Amino acid sequence: MATGWAVPILISAAALVAGGQNAVTARFEAATIKINRAGGRPAPPRVIPATGQVTITNAAVSALIQDAYGIQLPSLIVNMPDWARSQHVDVVAKAPSPAPVAVLQRMMQPLLTEYFKLAVHRETRDVVAFALMLTSPGRTGSKLKRVDDSCDAAVGTTIGFARPAEGTDQRQVCGVLPAGAGEIIAHGIDVAGLATELAPSQRRPIIDRTGLTGRFDVELKWTPDAFSATALAQRPGSTPPPGVDPAGPPLATALQDQLGLKLVSVTAPMEVLVIDRAEPLAN
């Protein structure tokens, strides 16, 4: 699901591809949503596919909606009410049996309907976006490596929650691993998943037009524009976050050199989620 930065994300939207058909109709056997009154920053979620347990603390309702429906950016949600951005909640839920991350993600949909009277529909609209494309046809960079193992049906699949324990096979963790600013480290994700991870940094939706199929290991590191040497020179006393090199490459250069990819500005039809009805939790 999704939450965290300027664009909250609890569980990566890329996980939806692994959900299976039961994700649409499955429901939690027990679940509660309560208003969070403690405040502070949203806590990392605890999601345990092997037991079907989900614990989310201090998440904006808007983030829950974005995650439950696998929406890449908040800009692709129409009619999001202001209260959904300001009301923060805690979620505790238990599935009736072990379930992949993506199934647990979609199981939030009926829960949101129950607690927030949420009603939505999808439409296709023209959107200003980026297309993710190969720099040279048929060639990828050394940091984009195809992997043969499949994460699609793995109940234990973890998306973005923790690095594997020391001595653990990296392949037991499928998805995006925690990383610093200007860095993506992932195992066994598809290119659509990579596009989803890149979108928040660009504040535009990103469409996969690489033609690449299957799953990949990805290592991408760049210097966000806000922390480049030029930007820091304009803010005396400012320092970059740990691990960020002000002299490092911008995203466009890193994409080309490390992954063999590029971003091209386009206007394209994309599916958006339209909120027809939503009500806040009562105090």
Side-chain angles (χ1 to χ4, degrees):
M1 301 174 196
T3 203
W5 333 303
V7 178
I9 297 219
L10 299 174
I11 296 178
S12 167
L16 284 174
V17 298
Q21 297 302 314
N22 292 335
V24 177
T25 57
R27 292 175 177 267
F28 293 111
E29 66 177 3
T32 60
I33 299 181
K34 297 180 179 179
I35 296 175
N36 178 285
R37 304 188 187 282
R41 299 187 63 173
R46 286 180 52 84
V47 180
I48 308 174
T51 61
Q53 293 176 300
V54 177
T55 303
I56 299 168
T57 303
N58 197 22
V61 175
S62 58
L64 295 183
I65 295 171
Q66 180 183 340
D67 291 335
Y69 287 89
I71 306 301
Q72 195 178 81
L73 287 176
S75 60
L76 296 176
I77 303 178
V78 180
N79 297 337
M80 180 72 78
D82 290 339
W83 65 260
R85 300 183 181 93
S86 59
Q87 186 172 75
H88 285 233
V89 298
D90 298 335
V91 181
V92 178
K94 174 70 169 64
S97 60
V101 170
V103 174
L104 297 173
Q105 182 177 0
R106 291 194 183 187
M107 286 168 69
M108 290 295 297
Q109 294 180 17
L111 197 60
L112 294 175
T113 298
E114 176 184 351
Y115 277 84
F116 301 101
K117 307 297 187 291
L118 182 67
V120 302
H121 72 275
R122 297 181 187 262
E123 295 180 3
T124 299
R125 300 186 179 186
D126 286 339
V127 173
V128 176
F130 284 116
L132 186 62
M133 306 174 69
L134 287 169
T135 304
S136 300
R139 297 182 60 185
T140 59
S142 62
K143 300 291 187 179
L144 184 67
K145 301 177 181 178
R146 186 178 297 277
V147 292
D148 295 330
D149 58 314
S150 173
C151 299
D152 289 352
V155 169
T157 292
T158 300
I159 302 293
F161 303 125
R163 290 185 181 276
E166 186 175 351
T168 300
D169 187 343
Q170 288 275 345
R171 291 176 299 177
Q172 292 181 9
V173 176
C174 295
V176 181
L177 301 174
E183 187 175 20
I184 295 175
I185 302 172
H187 168 69
I189 67 168
D190 58 14
V191 179
L194 173 61
T196 294
E197 293 301 318
L198 288 168
S201 69
Q202 301 307 291
R203 299 184 181 180
R204 280 199 209 177
I206 297 180
I207 305 166
D208 172 22
R209 289 186 178 172
T210 63
L212 297 173
T213 59
R215 294 184 176 274
F216 298 84
D217 285 350
V218 178
E219 292 184 30
L220 177 66
K221 188 172 180 61
W222 75 95
T223 299
D225 292 342
F227 304 120
S228 68
T230 300
L232 292 175
Q234 298 172 356
R235 305 195 305 271
S238 297
T239 57
V244 174
D245 179 6
L251 178 60
T253 302
L255 272 175
Q256 178 172 324
D257 292 348
Q258 299 169 32
L259 305 186
L261 303 176
K262 62 182 178 180
L263 292 173
V264 178
S265 185
V266 296
T267 298
M270 293 192 69
E271 190 176 77
V272 301
L273 186 76
V274 181
I275 296 179
D276 300 311
R277 177 186 178 187
E279 298 178 7
L281 281 184
N283 293 330

